[in-house]
Short mmCIF file of all heavy atoms in Angstrom, two decimals:
data_model
loop_
_atom_site.label_atom_id
_atom_site.label_comp_id
_atom_site.label_asym_id
_atom_site.label_seq_id
_atom_site.Cartn_x
_atom_site.Cartn_y
_atom_site.Cartn_z
N THR A 1 -5.11 7.90 6.65
CA THR A 1 -5.03 6.81 5.68
C THR A 1 -6.41 6.28 5.30
O THR A 1 -7.37 6.40 6.09
CB THR A 1 -4.19 5.65 6.22
OG1 THR A 1 -4.78 5.16 7.44
CG2 THR A 1 -2.76 6.08 6.50
N ASN A 2 -6.50 5.70 4.13
CA ASN A 2 -7.68 4.94 3.76
C ASN A 2 -7.26 3.80 2.84
O ASN A 2 -6.22 3.87 2.17
CB ASN A 2 -8.77 5.80 3.11
CG ASN A 2 -8.38 6.35 1.78
OD1 ASN A 2 -7.59 7.27 1.69
ND2 ASN A 2 -8.92 5.79 0.71
N TYR A 3 -8.05 2.73 2.87
CA TYR A 3 -7.71 1.49 2.19
C TYR A 3 -8.89 0.93 1.41
O TYR A 3 -10.05 1.10 1.81
CB TYR A 3 -7.27 0.43 3.22
CG TYR A 3 -6.05 0.80 4.00
CD1 TYR A 3 -6.15 1.47 5.22
CD2 TYR A 3 -4.78 0.47 3.52
CE1 TYR A 3 -5.01 1.81 5.93
CE2 TYR A 3 -3.65 0.79 4.24
CZ TYR A 3 -3.77 1.47 5.43
OH TYR A 3 -2.65 1.80 6.14
N ALA A 4 -8.57 0.22 0.36
CA ALA A 4 -9.59 -0.59 -0.30
C ALA A 4 -10.05 -1.69 0.65
O ALA A 4 -9.23 -2.20 1.44
CB ALA A 4 -9.03 -1.20 -1.58
N GLU A 5 -11.31 -2.04 0.57
CA GLU A 5 -11.84 -3.06 1.48
C GLU A 5 -11.07 -4.37 1.37
O GLU A 5 -10.86 -5.06 2.37
CB GLU A 5 -13.31 -3.31 1.17
CG GLU A 5 -14.26 -2.23 1.67
CD GLU A 5 -14.28 -2.13 3.19
OE1 GLU A 5 -14.17 -3.18 3.84
OE2 GLU A 5 -14.40 -1.01 3.70
N SER A 6 -10.61 -4.69 0.17
CA SER A 6 -9.97 -5.98 -0.07
C SER A 6 -8.60 -6.10 0.61
O SER A 6 -8.09 -7.21 0.75
CB SER A 6 -9.81 -6.22 -1.57
OG SER A 6 -9.00 -5.21 -2.15
N VAL A 7 -8.02 -4.97 1.03
CA VAL A 7 -6.68 -5.03 1.64
C VAL A 7 -6.68 -4.60 3.10
O VAL A 7 -5.63 -4.67 3.75
CB VAL A 7 -5.67 -4.19 0.84
CG1 VAL A 7 -5.68 -4.58 -0.64
CG2 VAL A 7 -5.88 -2.70 1.02
N LYS A 8 -7.81 -4.16 3.60
CA LYS A 8 -7.87 -3.72 5.01
C LYS A 8 -7.43 -4.84 5.93
O LYS A 8 -7.86 -5.99 5.80
CB LYS A 8 -9.28 -3.27 5.37
CG LYS A 8 -9.61 -1.87 4.91
CD LYS A 8 -10.99 -1.46 5.38
CE LYS A 8 -11.32 -0.05 4.92
NZ LYS A 8 -12.69 0.37 5.30
N GLY A 9 -6.57 -4.49 6.88
CA GLY A 9 -6.08 -5.47 7.83
C GLY A 9 -4.86 -6.24 7.34
O GLY A 9 -4.22 -6.95 8.11
N ARG A 10 -4.54 -6.12 6.05
CA ARG A 10 -3.37 -6.83 5.50
C ARG A 10 -2.29 -5.87 5.02
O ARG A 10 -1.10 -6.18 5.13
CB ARG A 10 -3.80 -7.71 4.31
CG ARG A 10 -4.82 -8.77 4.67
CD ARG A 10 -5.05 -9.73 3.50
NE ARG A 10 -5.59 -9.06 2.32
CZ ARG A 10 -5.00 -9.08 1.12
NH1 ARG A 10 -3.87 -9.74 0.94
NH2 ARG A 10 -5.57 -8.45 0.09
N PHE A 11 -2.69 -4.71 4.49
CA PHE A 11 -1.74 -3.74 3.93
C PHE A 11 -1.67 -2.51 4.84
O PHE A 11 -2.69 -2.11 5.42
CB PHE A 11 -2.17 -3.29 2.55
CG PHE A 11 -2.07 -4.34 1.45
CD1 PHE A 11 -1.82 -5.67 1.74
CD2 PHE A 11 -2.23 -3.97 0.13
CE1 PHE A 11 -1.74 -6.62 0.74
CE2 PHE A 11 -2.14 -4.90 -0.89
CZ PHE A 11 -1.91 -6.23 -0.58
N THR A 12 -0.51 -1.90 4.88
CA THR A 12 -0.33 -0.66 5.64
C THR A 12 0.46 0.33 4.81
O THR A 12 1.56 0.01 4.32
CB THR A 12 0.42 -0.92 6.96
OG1 THR A 12 -0.30 -1.88 7.74
CG2 THR A 12 0.55 0.37 7.76
N ILE A 13 -0.09 1.53 4.65
CA ILE A 13 0.62 2.60 3.95
C ILE A 13 1.22 3.53 4.98
O ILE A 13 0.62 3.79 6.04
CB ILE A 13 -0.33 3.36 2.99
CG1 ILE A 13 0.47 4.32 2.10
CG2 ILE A 13 -1.44 4.06 3.74
CD1 ILE A 13 -0.37 4.93 0.97
N SER A 14 2.42 4.02 4.68
CA SER A 14 3.08 4.97 5.58
C SER A 14 3.95 5.90 4.74
O SER A 14 4.23 5.61 3.57
CB SER A 14 3.91 4.24 6.63
OG SER A 14 4.93 3.47 6.02
N ARG A 15 4.36 6.99 5.35
CA ARG A 15 5.21 7.94 4.65
C ARG A 15 6.31 8.44 5.56
O ARG A 15 6.12 8.52 6.78
CB ARG A 15 4.38 9.11 4.10
CG ARG A 15 3.73 9.99 5.13
CD ARG A 15 2.76 10.98 4.47
NE ARG A 15 3.43 11.88 3.55
CZ ARG A 15 2.81 12.54 2.58
NH1 ARG A 15 1.50 12.41 2.41
NH2 ARG A 15 3.49 13.35 1.79
N ASP A 16 7.45 8.77 4.95
CA ASP A 16 8.57 9.36 5.66
C ASP A 16 8.90 10.65 4.93
O ASP A 16 9.56 10.63 3.88
CB ASP A 16 9.75 8.40 5.68
CG ASP A 16 10.91 8.90 6.51
OD1 ASP A 16 11.01 10.13 6.72
OD2 ASP A 16 11.72 8.08 6.95
N ASN A 17 8.45 11.77 5.45
CA ASN A 17 8.65 13.05 4.77
C ASN A 17 10.12 13.45 4.73
O ASN A 17 10.54 14.18 3.84
CB ASN A 17 7.82 14.14 5.44
CG ASN A 17 6.33 13.97 5.18
OD1 ASN A 17 5.90 13.28 4.27
ND2 ASN A 17 5.53 14.61 6.03
N ALA A 18 10.90 12.97 5.67
CA ALA A 18 12.33 13.29 5.67
C ALA A 18 13.05 12.59 4.51
O ALA A 18 14.08 13.08 4.03
CB ALA A 18 12.96 12.87 6.99
N LYS A 19 12.50 11.47 4.07
CA LYS A 19 13.12 10.70 2.98
C LYS A 19 12.35 10.83 1.67
O LYS A 19 12.70 10.19 0.67
CB LYS A 19 13.22 9.22 3.36
CG LYS A 19 14.14 8.95 4.53
CD LYS A 19 14.25 7.46 4.82
CE LYS A 19 15.21 7.19 5.96
NZ LYS A 19 15.32 5.74 6.27
N ASN A 20 11.28 11.63 1.68
CA ASN A 20 10.44 11.79 0.47
C ASN A 20 9.99 10.43 -0.08
O ASN A 20 10.00 10.20 -1.30
CB ASN A 20 11.20 12.56 -0.62
CG ASN A 20 11.36 14.02 -0.29
OD1 ASN A 20 10.89 14.51 0.72
ND2 ASN A 20 12.06 14.75 -1.16
N THR A 21 9.58 9.58 0.82
CA THR A 21 9.26 8.20 0.43
C THR A 21 7.94 7.75 1.06
O THR A 21 7.67 8.07 2.23
CB THR A 21 10.39 7.25 0.85
OG1 THR A 21 11.61 7.65 0.20
CG2 THR A 21 10.08 5.81 0.45
N VAL A 22 7.18 7.02 0.28
CA VAL A 22 5.96 6.39 0.77
C VAL A 22 6.13 4.87 0.64
O VAL A 22 6.78 4.40 -0.31
CB VAL A 22 4.71 6.89 0.01
CG1 VAL A 22 4.78 6.55 -1.46
CG2 VAL A 22 3.44 6.37 0.65
N TYR A 23 5.57 4.15 1.59
CA TYR A 23 5.73 2.71 1.64
C TYR A 23 4.36 2.03 1.62
O TYR A 23 3.35 2.60 2.03
CB TYR A 23 6.45 2.30 2.93
CG TYR A 23 7.78 2.95 3.12
CD1 TYR A 23 7.91 4.08 3.93
CD2 TYR A 23 8.92 2.45 2.51
CE1 TYR A 23 9.14 4.70 4.11
CE2 TYR A 23 10.16 3.06 2.69
CZ TYR A 23 10.25 4.19 3.48
OH TYR A 23 11.48 4.79 3.66
N LEU A 24 4.37 0.79 1.15
CA LEU A 24 3.19 -0.06 1.26
C LEU A 24 3.66 -1.42 1.77
O LEU A 24 4.32 -2.17 1.04
CB LEU A 24 2.48 -0.22 -0.07
CG LEU A 24 1.16 -1.00 -0.01
CD1 LEU A 24 0.12 -0.21 0.79
CD2 LEU A 24 0.63 -1.31 -1.41
N GLN A 25 3.36 -1.69 3.02
CA GLN A 25 3.65 -2.99 3.61
C GLN A 25 2.50 -3.92 3.30
O GLN A 25 1.35 -3.62 3.67
CB GLN A 25 3.86 -2.87 5.11
CG GLN A 25 4.12 -4.19 5.81
CD GLN A 25 5.44 -4.82 5.41
OE1 GLN A 25 6.45 -4.13 5.33
NE2 GLN A 25 5.44 -6.12 5.17
N MET A 26 2.79 -5.01 2.63
CA MET A 26 1.74 -5.94 2.20
C MET A 26 1.99 -7.29 2.87
O MET A 26 3.00 -7.94 2.60
CB MET A 26 1.76 -6.09 0.67
CG MET A 26 1.64 -4.78 -0.07
SD MET A 26 1.47 -4.98 -1.85
CE MET A 26 3.08 -5.63 -2.25
N ASN A 27 1.07 -7.68 3.74
CA ASN A 27 1.16 -8.95 4.44
C ASN A 27 0.05 -9.88 3.99
O ASN A 27 -0.93 -9.45 3.39
CB ASN A 27 1.06 -8.73 5.95
CG ASN A 27 2.18 -7.87 6.50
OD1 ASN A 27 3.30 -7.87 5.98
ND2 ASN A 27 1.89 -7.12 7.55
N SER A 28 0.22 -11.16 4.28
CA SER A 28 -0.79 -12.16 3.93
C SER A 28 -1.23 -12.02 2.47
O SER A 28 -2.43 -11.99 2.17
CB SER A 28 -2.00 -12.02 4.86
OG SER A 28 -1.62 -12.18 6.21
N LEU A 29 -0.27 -11.95 1.61
CA LEU A 29 -0.58 -11.74 0.19
C LEU A 29 -1.36 -12.91 -0.39
O LEU A 29 -1.16 -14.07 0.01
CB LEU A 29 0.71 -11.50 -0.59
CG LEU A 29 1.27 -10.08 -0.45
CD1 LEU A 29 2.73 -10.03 -0.83
CD2 LEU A 29 0.45 -9.11 -1.28
N ARG A 30 -2.23 -12.58 -1.32
CA ARG A 30 -3.09 -13.57 -1.96
C ARG A 30 -2.87 -13.51 -3.47
O ARG A 30 -2.45 -12.48 -4.00
CB ARG A 30 -4.57 -13.29 -1.65
CG ARG A 30 -4.83 -13.11 -0.18
CD ARG A 30 -6.28 -12.94 0.18
NE ARG A 30 -7.00 -11.93 -0.56
CZ ARG A 30 -7.99 -11.21 -0.04
NH1 ARG A 30 -8.34 -11.40 1.22
NH2 ARG A 30 -8.62 -10.33 -0.79
N PRO A 31 -3.20 -14.57 -4.18
CA PRO A 31 -3.04 -14.53 -5.65
C PRO A 31 -3.79 -13.38 -6.30
O PRO A 31 -3.31 -12.82 -7.31
CB PRO A 31 -3.59 -15.89 -6.08
CG PRO A 31 -3.29 -16.80 -4.93
CD PRO A 31 -3.51 -15.93 -3.71
N ASP A 32 -4.92 -12.98 -5.75
CA ASP A 32 -5.67 -11.88 -6.37
C ASP A 32 -5.07 -10.51 -6.07
O ASP A 32 -5.60 -9.49 -6.51
CB ASP A 32 -7.16 -11.92 -6.01
CG ASP A 32 -7.43 -11.79 -4.53
OD1 ASP A 32 -6.47 -11.69 -3.75
OD2 ASP A 32 -8.62 -11.78 -4.15
N ASP A 33 -3.97 -10.46 -5.34
CA ASP A 33 -3.21 -9.22 -5.19
C ASP A 33 -2.23 -9.02 -6.34
O ASP A 33 -1.58 -7.97 -6.44
CB ASP A 33 -2.43 -9.21 -3.88
CG ASP A 33 -3.33 -9.19 -2.66
OD1 ASP A 33 -4.31 -8.42 -2.66
OD2 ASP A 33 -3.04 -9.93 -1.69
N THR A 34 -2.11 -10.02 -7.20
CA THR A 34 -1.21 -9.92 -8.35
C THR A 34 -1.62 -8.77 -9.26
O THR A 34 -2.78 -8.69 -9.68
CB THR A 34 -1.20 -11.24 -9.14
OG1 THR A 34 -0.66 -12.27 -8.30
CG2 THR A 34 -0.36 -11.12 -10.40
N ALA A 35 -0.67 -7.87 -9.53
CA ALA A 35 -0.96 -6.69 -10.34
C ALA A 35 0.32 -5.88 -10.51
O ALA A 35 1.33 -6.17 -9.86
CB ALA A 35 -2.02 -5.82 -9.67
N VAL A 36 0.24 -4.87 -11.36
CA VAL A 36 1.27 -3.84 -11.37
C VAL A 36 0.83 -2.76 -10.39
O VAL A 36 -0.31 -2.28 -10.46
CB VAL A 36 1.46 -3.25 -12.78
CG1 VAL A 36 2.51 -2.14 -12.74
CG2 VAL A 36 1.88 -4.34 -13.77
N TYR A 37 1.71 -2.41 -9.48
CA TYR A 37 1.41 -1.43 -8.45
C TYR A 37 2.07 -0.10 -8.83
O TYR A 37 3.26 -0.05 -9.13
CB TYR A 37 1.90 -1.90 -7.10
CG TYR A 37 1.01 -2.96 -6.50
CD1 TYR A 37 0.96 -4.24 -7.05
CD2 TYR A 37 0.19 -2.68 -5.40
CE1 TYR A 37 0.11 -5.21 -6.52
CE2 TYR A 37 -0.65 -3.64 -4.87
CZ TYR A 37 -0.69 -4.91 -5.44
OH TYR A 37 -1.53 -5.86 -4.91
N TYR A 38 1.27 0.97 -8.77
CA TYR A 38 1.72 2.30 -9.15
C TYR A 38 1.65 3.25 -7.96
O TYR A 38 0.68 3.25 -7.20
CB TYR A 38 0.84 2.87 -10.26
CG TYR A 38 0.90 2.12 -11.56
CD1 TYR A 38 0.00 1.08 -11.82
CD2 TYR A 38 1.83 2.44 -12.54
CE1 TYR A 38 0.05 0.38 -13.02
CE2 TYR A 38 1.88 1.75 -13.74
CZ TYR A 38 0.99 0.72 -13.97
OH TYR A 38 1.04 0.04 -15.16
N CYS A 39 2.63 4.08 -7.86
CA CYS A 39 2.68 5.14 -6.87
C CYS A 39 2.08 6.41 -7.48
O CYS A 39 2.31 6.70 -8.67
CB CYS A 39 4.14 5.37 -6.47
SG CYS A 39 4.42 6.72 -5.32
N ASN A 40 1.32 7.14 -6.68
CA ASN A 40 0.70 8.39 -7.13
C ASN A 40 0.97 9.50 -6.14
O ASN A 40 0.90 9.28 -4.93
CB ASN A 40 -0.81 8.18 -7.29
CG ASN A 40 -1.56 9.46 -7.56
OD1 ASN A 40 -2.11 10.07 -6.64
ND2 ASN A 40 -1.59 9.89 -8.80
N ALA A 41 1.24 10.68 -6.67
CA ALA A 41 1.36 11.89 -5.85
C ALA A 41 0.31 12.87 -6.32
O ALA A 41 0.21 13.16 -7.52
CB ALA A 41 2.76 12.49 -5.99
N HIS A 42 -0.47 13.40 -5.37
CA HIS A 42 -1.60 14.24 -5.74
C HIS A 42 -1.65 15.49 -4.88
O HIS A 42 -1.51 15.42 -3.65
CB HIS A 42 -2.90 13.46 -5.57
CG HIS A 42 -4.13 14.29 -5.76
ND1 HIS A 42 -4.58 14.69 -7.01
CD2 HIS A 42 -4.98 14.84 -4.87
CE1 HIS A 42 -5.65 15.43 -6.86
NE2 HIS A 42 -5.93 15.53 -5.57
#
């Protein structure tokens, strides 16, 4: 995993290959986290 500096320690990315799903757990949210969030597969 790797994270933007602004979210380190607050956000956690994980994946479940059995469910073909990726997650983003976002804790301690701040107003500057406001945005449209997009999923990417590469």
